[in-house]
Amino acid sequence: MTPAPERLAVILPTWLGDCMMATPLLRALRKGLPGTSIVAVVGRGNAVVMEGLASVDEVVPIDKSSWLRSAATLKSTGCDAVLLLPNAFRWAAVARLAGVPRRIGYARDGRSWLLTDGVKPVMTGRWPRRTHAIVPAIRHYLGLLTAFRLEPDGRRMDLAVTPNDDKAADAVFISGGIGDERLALFVPGGRYGSAKLWPTKHFADLSHKLVADRFRVLVSTAPGEEAVAEAIAADGDVTLLANHGLSLSAVKAIVGRCDLVVSNDTGARHLAVAAGTPTVTVFGPTDPQRTTLNAPREVEVFLDLDCQPCQQKLCPLPEPQTQRCLRDLSPQTVHEAALRLLKVEA
C-alpha cells in the first residue's frame, strides 16, 4: 500500500459553490490521514471560505490566470502529493510542472499520462456513445478517496465562521441598522450567466410578501451585480447589504444569522445550507442533479419544462419563450415553498 503523503495539496475548484461541495472530501481526508498536513490551494477570491476549517492545516491562494505562476505557487507549498479536484487538463499539467511527485485525479480529458494515480470516472452508455455520467458534485469529489483507500465521512458541507467573519458581519449590521429582527436574505446574483437569474421583479414582489410576514429583507450581491440589487430595491422593500461594506467574509457569518435565505443556484446558497439556515433555491437552466445537496433544510424550486436543464449561460430561445424556466416561476410559488419550509422548521 502506498504510504500516506506528508503534505497533501488539494487543488480546489474555481466556483464558490464547488469549493463548498468539496468540504466533505476534506473532512474525510482529515479523518483518514491524521498525520498528513492538508494544504487547500484555492483561487484568491474564495480563500476566505476555507479559513477556519478543522480539516485544513493551511490555505494557499493561487493565481489561476497563469500556468507558470500556478506551478510556482504549488511548488512553494513543498507538498509531496497533490489531489486535483478540477477535471481540466491544465491542472494536471501545472502539477507536473511543479514537480509534485504524486499527482492524483480523475483520469479524463486527455490528462491520464500526467497523473501518477488516475481514478476512473463514472461513465454511462455504450461505445461509441459512452460518456461521463452526471454525478452530484459532492459524490464526484468523494470518489477521489479511492486513491487513498478511504471512506467518506458523510456528505454534509462544512462552514467555519471565524472571529474575523463575525467582526465583518457586525460592521455590516451596524452600518445597515440591522438589529434583532426576523431576517430573510435574498441572493439574486450569479456569475454563471444571466439565464440563471430569477427576475428582479419577482424578487421585489417576494420581498413585499415576506415583509407582510414580518421579515426584514436583506439583499446580498457581489461586486458587478449592482444593477441587479438596484432593480430589486426600486420595486421592493429591501436593505442592500452591498451599501454597507459587504464582503465574502461577512456573508459567511450573515447567512447563519438569517431565518430564511432565497437564492439563485449560486455560491451563497451553499454557504446558507452549510450554516443550517432554511434555504429556498430557485433553479432555471442549471441541473439540480449536478449540485444537489440532499439537505433537509433546503427546498429546490423549478418548473421542469421540456427545455430544462439546458446548462446555457444565455437562453437560446426567442421571445416569448426566452427564460420561461424562471419568468414563469412565480413569486407566489417561491413564497409558498418558503412558508412550507418554515412551517416544518417550526
Side-chain angles (χ1 to χ4, degrees), residues 3-346:
E6 292 184 9
R7 284 176 60 81
L8 172 65
V10 182
I11 304 291
L12 290 163
T14 297
W15 301 105
L16 169 59
D18 290 311
C19 287
M20 288 301 301
M21 290 187 288
T23 57
L25 168 67
L26 294 171
R27 185 174 64 249
L29 290 170
R30 165 57 67 233
K31 182 177 180 180
L33 303 172
T36 298
S37 292
I38 297 176
V39 180
V41 181
V42 59
R44 296 184 185 281
N46 293 328
V48 68
V49 178
M50 296 291 110
E51 295 290 348
L53 288 177
S55 55
V56 171
D57 296 291
E58 186 178 346
V59 178
V60 175
I62 192 169
D63 181 353
K64 295 188 173 185
S65 65
S66 164
W67 291 30
L68 291 178
R69 283 197 291 269
S70 295
T73 299
L74 181 58
K75 185 175 182 178
S76 71
T77 66
C79 290
D80 54 318
V82 58
L83 180 61
L84 308 173
L85 271 58
N87 295 320
F89 177 90
R90 65 163 292 172
W91 288 109
V94 165
R96 181 70 176 267
L97 283 170
V100 182
R102 189 178 177 194
R103 303 176 295 279
I104 307 151
Y106 280 111
R108 52 175 292 174
D109 297 282
R111 66 182 195 171
S112 300
W113 62 281
L114 292 169
L115 303 174
T116 59
D117 300 68
V119 177
K120 291 183 178 179
V122 179
M123 307 295 290
T124 187
R126 295 183 179 181
W127 190 90
R129 297 184 177 179
R130 193 162 174 77
T131 186
H132 296 288
I134 296 176
V135 178
I138 290 178
R139 202 177 96 198
H140 177 73
Y141 297 141
L142 289 174
L144 292 167
L145 291 171
T146 59
F148 303 93
R149 300 185 184 180
L150 298 178
E151 295 294 326
D153 183 31
R155 297 185 182 181
R156 169 184 53 81
M157 295 184 298
D158 293 327
L159 177 66
V161 177
T162 68
N164 284 338
D165 299 329
D166 274 322
K167 184 177 179 180
D170 289 342
V172 172
F173 274 31
I174 291 170
S175 175
I178 303 165
D180 187 13
E181 306 167 76
R182 198 179 187 206
L183 300 176
L185 179 69
F186 287 176
V187 187
R191 297 191 176 184
Y192 180 82
S194 62
K196 192 177 185 177
L197 307 185
W198 199 43
T200 55
K201 182 64 167 63
H202 288 1
F203 272 111
D205 290 347
L206 179 61
S207 75
H208 295 304
K209 296 178 184 297
L210 291 176
V211 168
D213 296 330
R214 300 183 182 278
F215 279 94
R216 179 167 180 179
V217 180
L218 314 177
V219 176
S220 172
T221 48
E225 297 173 349
E226 293 81 6
V228 171
E230 290 168 4
I232 295 172
D235 291 328
D237 189 358
V238 300
T239 299
L240 303 183
L241 297 183
N243 293 342
H244 301 284
L246 187 66
S247 64
L248 182 54
S249 177
V251 172
K252 283 177 64 182
I254 288 172
V255 291
R257 301 183 186 186
C258 293
D259 301 280
L260 173 70
V261 171
V262 180
S263 177
N264 292 324
D265 176 25
T266 190
R269 163 228 181 180
H270 299 78
L271 298 178
V273 171
T277 301
T279 302
V280 178
T281 304
V282 177
F283 280 88
T286 54
D287 188 350
Q289 290 187 61
R290 295 178 184 270
T291 61
T292 185
L293 305 178
N294 294 317
R297 307 186 83 180
E298 182 192 34
V299 174
E300 299 174 349
V301 184
F302 54 96
L303 292 179
D304 199 21
L305 302 177
D306 290 342
C307 58
Q308 287 178 277
C310 69
Q311 295 294 134
Q312 298 296 313
K313 294 185 178 183
L314 295 173
C315 182
L317 298 178
E319 290 287 358
Q321 291 84 19
T322 298
Q323 231 174 338
R324 274 189 57 215
C325 60
L326 289 171
R327 288 195 313 186
D328 291 357
L329 188 57
S330 70
Q332 181 65 28
T333 298
V334 175
H335 182 235
E336 290 172 355
L339 293 183
R340 287 195 302 270
L341 178 60
L342 293 171
K343 184 177 180 180
V344 170
E345 289 295 313

